[in-house]
Amino acid sequence: MNDKYQTIHPRQLFLRHLAQTSPGPLSLEIDRAEGLYLYDTDGKAYLDLIAGIGVSCLGHRHPAVQAAVEAQVNRYWHTLVYGEYVLNPQVKLAALLASQLPGLDAVYFVNSGTEATEGAMKLAKRFTGRPDIVACRNAYHGSTHGAASLMNPVDFTLAYHPMLPGIRHIDFNDEKTLDSINHRTAAVVVETVQAESGITPPKPEFLQALRRRCDETGALLILDEIQAGYGRTGALFAFQHYGIKPDILLLAKGFGGGMPIGAFIAPQHIMEVLSHNPVLGHITTFGGHPVCAAAALATLEVLLSTDLIAQVPAKEALFRQLLVHPEIREVRSAGLWLGVDLGEAEKVQKVIAHCLKNGVITDWFLFNDRTLRIAPPLTIDETTIHKACEVLLEAL
Ligand SMILES: Cc1ncc(COP(=O)(O)O)c(C=O)c1O
């Protein structure tokens, strides 16, 4: 047996054998994770102030989620491709979701956020018979070819052209651009709160006008709550703040409480077009994997049975109260989700590095490197918020 790999440092193996996504990976060597903290192989604790980019909404290895995973692991794992067998964790999760989403009663489970976007775009085209999709500038909906076609600015996608045809862009929060939605539009894909622009909450009037324009033209409104959902903004779903409802809702990230699962959710009369003429309108082998669905069910049950979501506004206010410094230009927030604008990418990088040295993990945003990302697990407590802000202010 070739045991050479056992003598090479894991960090070297990481650089040598894992596909790299940037020239400067954080390269923390993770040993374990629990609650708000990651621990490296030297035993150093790191406060996860970004929840693995919006995933670990209940912290790492929440006991209820872990117990659900363990119970499911002991029962069955993969059994058949998605959609054939009746699997208890899937059906319970779908029913509980439907109870929280009046009118959206059909759940298609997938593996990730980008697959949820893909599935929803296909569903909208198929249901409406229309060719075009409208999306917002500075939005991120995923990295597979279809979802990436929605991306604008095009810096990240130029190398992959041609992208999907029929994509038009509007400006988030600008009602004047809604005229681009017309009778050729199958769907408008919008994040309820725009994430990667550095946290841009919606103007309620914009979302309401968007809903009206979709109704007028017959376009479906797809709300991407892959980051914004699951309590992050102080409601289970962010759209609940704004008096509107989507035709299709996208979930992933926090949905699985740390396990990989996503979903696109629509009314049954829309979703049913995927099942005939031809059958199998979307196919996925692992979508809604039973172990992930069990984790997602436990996550939702915890969110619904505790006051974690109700505590979000007070925790947001505490962050905002503490994050005052001459170097901070602006703090934009939507619940326990803050963008701290420092005005320069270099400053953001320095703060990230200082925080990392001092055991706090922060990040920047894909389309806004001048802004620092804060999106901790919803389980963060007041004392830890004070501690985190001390480290951040010290860095500044
Ligand atoms: C708003 C939003 N939509 C979609 C995605 C894509 O999700 P995934 O990385 O699971 O494909 C992301 C991921 O960052 C996201 O933030």
Side-chain angles (χ1 to χ4, degrees), residues 53 111-115 117 140-143 191 193 195-196 224-228 250 252-253:
I53 311 286
N111 296 282
S112 63
T114 199
E115 192 188 357
T117 307
Y140 180 72
H141 300 289
S143 191
E191 291 166 273
V193 176
E196 298 304 322
D224 176 345
E225 297 222 359
I226 288 165
Q227 274 198 68
L250 310 184
K253 287 195 179 274

Side-chain angles (χ1 to χ4, degrees), residues 84-392:
E84 294 294 331
Y85 293 159
V86 179
L87 304 172
N88 204 38
Q90 284 185 352
V91 294
K92 277 190 173 165
L93 174 58
L96 188 56
L97 278 169
S99 76
Q100 301 300 313
L101 289 165
L104 298 175
D105 55 356
V107 183
Y108 198 120
F109 290 118
V110 291
N111 296 282
S112 63
T114 199
E115 192 188 357
T117 307
E118 299 287 343
M121 289 199 295
K122 285 166 64 185
L123 175 60
K125 282 183 162 178
R126 182 130 172 212
F127 179 75
T128 61
R130 299 176 180 186
D132 293 350
I133 307 262
V134 169
C136 287
R137 293 188 184 85
N138 293 317
Y140 180 72
H141 300 289
S143 191
T144 49
H145 226 129
S149 298
L150 302 178
M151 229 191 287
N152 186 304
V154 292
D155 316 31
F156 287 97
T157 55
L158 265 182
Y160 311 114
H161 280 213
M163 306 302 281
L164 270 191
I167 309 292
R168 302 163 77 97
H169 288 97
I170 59 173
D171 288 317
F172 191 68
N173 274 340
D174 184 357
E175 287 152 72
K176 290 193 295 292
T177 62
L178 295 180
D179 286 350
S180 304
I181 302 164
N182 57 38
H183 289 88
R184 286 175 56 85
T185 311
V188 185
V189 188
V190 179
E191 291 166 273
T192 313
V193 176
Q194 209 174 53
E196 298 304 322
S197 55
I199 310 295
T200 312
K203 290 194 290 188
E205 317 81 78
F206 170 73
L207 285 185
Q208 285 150 12
L210 175 61
R211 177 68 271 183
R212 276 197 305 277
R213 184 70 189 154
C214 287
D215 289 341
E216 280 160 20
T217 56
L220 299 185
L221 177 59
I222 300 176
L223 287 184
D224 176 345
E225 297 222 359
I226 288 165
Q227 274 198 68
Y230 264 58
R232 180 62 51 202
T233 66
L236 182 59
F237 301 109
F239 70 78
Q240 293 169 329
H241 294 294
Y242 303 104
I244 58 147
K245 247 175 48 184
D247 299 301
I248 307 178
L249 179 67
L250 310 184
L251 298 179
K253 287 195 179 274
F255 183 39
M259 294 293 278
I261 184 168
F264 56 103
I265 308 175
Q268 199 60 261
H269 76 275
I270 295 181
M271 193 68 91
E272 60 102 26
V273 299
L274 294 181
S275 66
H276 53 84
N277 290 329
V279 299
L280 301 170
H282 186 72
I283 302 175
T284 180
T285 296
F286 289 126
H289 189 285
V291 177
C292 303
L297 176 61
T299 303
L300 185 52
E301 284 172 345
V302 171
L303 285 176
L304 293 176
S305 63
T306 62
D307 58 357
L308 279 172
I309 296 179
Q311 290 170 12
V312 164
K315 292 176 182 176
E316 174 187 16
L318 182 58
F319 264 115
R320 292 195 71 106
Q321 180 198 322
L322 296 173
L323 288 174
V324 176
H325 188 282
E327 292 287 345
I328 296 177
R329 297 202 173 171
E330 186 187 17
V331 177
R332 294 179 296 275
S333 65
L336 214 33
W337 198 18
L338 300 95
V340 183
D341 192 335
L342 302 182
E344 284 172 35
E346 207 182 314
K347 278 187 195 165
V348 169
Q349 289 307 324
K350 279 187 184 162
V351 171
I352 292 172
H354 176 95
C355 287
L356 195 64
K357 223 167 106 192
N358 289 280
V360 174
I361 296 177
T362 54
D363 200 9
W364 45 285
F365 290 91
L366 193 60
F367 302 132
N368 186 343
D369 56 8
R370 305 171 309 285
T371 298
L372 198 68
R373 182 194 301 263
I374 298 180
L378 306 185
T379 47
I380 195 167
D381 54 88
E382 272 190 25
T383 313
T384 313
I385 294 176
H386 277 275
K387 216 170 87 182
C389 290
E390 259 170 45
V391 175
L392 284 166

